[in-house]
Amino acid sequence: MNRSLLSLAQMNSFAIKAYTPQIMEINSKEDLYNLSTSTLHPTNFYILGEGSNTLFVEEMAPTIIHMALKGIKVEEIDDFYRLTVAAGENWHQLVEFCIENQINGLENLALIPGSVGAAPVQNIGAYGVEFADFCESVTWFDFADKCEKKLTRKDCLFAYRNSVFKQALKHKGVITAVSLLIAKNWQPNLSYAGLNQLPKESINAKAIMAEVIRLRQSKLPDPKELPNAGSFFKNPILSLSRYTELTKKYANVPHYHQKNGDIKVAAAWLIEQAGLKGKRRGNVGIHVNQALVLVNYGNGTGAELFNLARYVQDKVYKKFNIKIEPEVRLISSTGEKSMEEFQHG
Ligand code: EPU
């Protein structure tokens, strides 16, 4: 291995031993400006937060931009707290900071790995709550205009594990901060299975956070002990007619009704029914407690994990005629690619 290459093994929660020719660390507004005037290739780079939703598929990765901007500002605006948080802060530490300071609302999103700047990109969500529910705006450094811009929540086009940052704004700039509005009049959200047995009348945000942490720890492996990136696939969203067809054969598929009438079904269930839960293939496998989580047992490579993901996708497709899509971002030596792009060269 060329000595001038930098290892990314400590910078991704799959602990894949990938290498990059360059890491550009962003610590200040000046670094951002310098970045936008540098000879950055228009697409051959990847913005990395804490690497908890990233699979380096190949041994080589492109130039890495690493956001390290820090800072949390709290303001009170009538019935709300406004938090302005820099992209390089850790998400879970932000949740803890809020709960310690009686700013309640983010407790269902406790223990989600990753940085604050990554939260809007895939609109992180868990236990019936998502980032978009609290987002007032996202501050964005635009590479072409070389300045910061504010996107309102509407501009961000949030959807299930999706946003404008993954679509039209991909490669066009970088998130520098988020602004959250959290209502002072706190209401618990106990709608999700697992939380709905908690006593709605006497519960507080700290106790909900503790329960969310307990639930997550009981199902999701700690990346420090068993490297993984949480859910590898998104839960597929089906039209009502497609869902009805599915239930003729599989009446008990776990499902969630969407506002537009579509139905989201549990990919973990589909994978388990396809007989894959707990399966191991060499150095990698499908987690024993949560079939949506792929794990690296030690010396797994990005290619091995990618091949396992394809195998899971194929098996589920053959059994249910449903194509599950990765939630994890797949990175090649020349930047991000879709599963299909990797397969076809
Ligand atoms: N299930 C199975 N087999 C399994 C695991 C789950 O049949 O091995 C069934 C469960 O019984 C349940 C359903 O699948 O009926 C859903 O399972 P779970 O509540 O564990 O949630 P999930 O849909 O698998 C999603 C998010 C998680 C988030 C949880 C809790 C996605 C892709 N994943 O998982 O987010 O923590 O809900 O809200 O939407 C992540 O994005 O990385 C992540 C961990």
Side-chain angles (χ1 to χ4, degrees):
M1 186 56 59
N2 182 333
R3 275 176 190 278
S4 64
L5 294 176
L6 303 164
S7 169
L8 292 166
Q10 308 285 329
M11 293 177 78
N12 73 98
S13 65
F14 267 127
I16 296 299
K17 295 183 186 77
Y19 295 86
T20 175
Q22 192 181 19
I23 298 176
M24 298 172 102
E25 184 93 4
I26 305 297
N27 287 294
S28 64
K29 299 273 155 83
E30 199 187 338
D31 288 346
L32 279 169
Y33 184 80
N34 291 339
L35 177 69
S36 65
T37 54
S38 71
T39 50
L40 198 64
H41 185 278
T43 56
N44 190 353
F45 64 88
Y46 182 63
I47 301 164
L48 191 68
E50 295 181 9
S52 55
N53 200 41
T54 296
L55 177 63
F56 293 113
V57 177
E58 297 172 351
E59 198 178 6
M60 279 307 300
T63 289
I64 296 294
I65 298 173
H66 183 240
M67 290 304 292
L69 297 171
K70 297 278 186 225
I72 303 177
K73 186 171 109 191
V74 182
E75 296 164 272
E76 291 196 38
I77 299 161
D78 304 325
D79 298 336
F80 290 88
Y81 295 102
R82 174 189 281 148
L83 280 92
T84 309
V85 191
E89 291 286 342
N90 171 272
W91 176 265
H92 177 64
Q93 282 169 12
L94 171 68
V95 176
E96 282 185 322
F97 166 87
C98 289
I99 304 302
E100 275 161 25
N101 289 286
Q102 276 83 50
I103 302 173
N104 299 326
L106 299 182
E107 55 280 353
N108 294 40
L109 301 176
L111 217 63
I112 296 185
S115 66
V116 166
V121 179
Q122 62 150 342
N123 186 21
I124 57 169
Y127 300 101
V129 175
E130 57 184 23
F131 175 85
D133 299 336
F134 299 94
C135 179
E136 182 188 27
S137 64
V138 172
T139 310
W140 164 262
F141 185 90
D142 188 283
F143 289 153
D145 294 347
K146 306 189 191 337
C147 65
E148 277 187 323
K149 295 178 176 177
K150 216 167 236 190
L151 281 87
T152 64
R153 173 173 46 178
K154 223 171 156 208
D155 298 332
C156 294
L157 303 177
F158 289 122
Y160 168 61
R161 296 297 192 270
N162 206 354
S163 73
V164 73
F165 307 106
K166 270 186 168 181
Q167 308 294 336
L169 290 183
K170 193 164 144 184
H171 293 129
K172 303 274 193 297
V174 56
I175 292 168
T176 57
V178 306
S179 162
L180 306 177
L181 275 186
I182 303 184
K184 289 182 182 172
N185 175 22
W186 176 73
Q187 300 293 331
N189 185 332
L190 304 177
S191 55
Y192 199 87
L195 297 182
N196 53 8
Q197 85 291 357
L198 293 174
K200 200 168 178 6
E201 306 315 318
S202 57
I203 198 78
N204 60 45
K206 203 169 179 177
I208 297 176
M209 179 163 90
E211 184 59 13
V212 167
I213 290 175
R214 195 193 64 75
L215 274 172
R216 288 188 74 98
Q217 285 176 337
S218 70
K219 292 182 184 177
L220 302 167
D222 180 350
K224 289 193 198 86
E225 284 159 23
L226 188 54
N228 74 88
S231 303
F232 194 94
F233 296 97
K234 290 185 274 200
N235 287 327
I237 296 176
L238 308 181
S239 65
L240 180 61
S241 61
R242 181 70 193 82
Y243 168 76
T244 310
E245 193 191 315
L246 180 72
T247 53
K248 284 186 190 142
K249 209 163 165 199
Y250 305 99
N252 55 347
V253 54
H255 60 281
Y256 315 91
H257 292 270
Q258 306 298 288
K259 283 187 195 118
N260 67 354
D262 287 346
I263 296 178
K264 187 159 86 182
V265 300
W269 187 90
L270 302 176
I271 297 169
E272 183 169 344
Q273 297 306 308
L276 299 173
K277 190 169 177 172
K279 272 247 153 63
R280 183 171 172 156
R281 276 182 132 202
N283 294 311
V284 299
I286 296 140
H287 190 47
V288 284
N289 293 339
Q290 228 298 1
L292 205 44
V293 178
L294 303 190
V295 297
N296 176 6
Y297 283 107
N299 288 317
T301 62
E304 276 179 287
L305 275 160
F306 178 80
N307 288 335
L308 177 67
R310 274 207 53 205
Y311 174 73
V312 171
Q313 199 185 41
D314 282 356
K315 283 269 185 192
V316 167
Y317 188 74
K318 282 191 185 120
K319 187 167 173 77
F320 297 102
N321 199 24
I322 295 174
K323 187 156 179 227
I324 52 172
E325 297 286 354
E327 176 195 303
V328 166
R329 307 188 72 171
L330 308 173
I331 312 304
S332 76
S333 58
T334 54
E336 185 170 6
K337 281 187 181 174
S338 67
M339 223 147 165
E340 291 69 27
E341 284 168 334
F342 270 108
Q343 278 164 252
H344 305 298

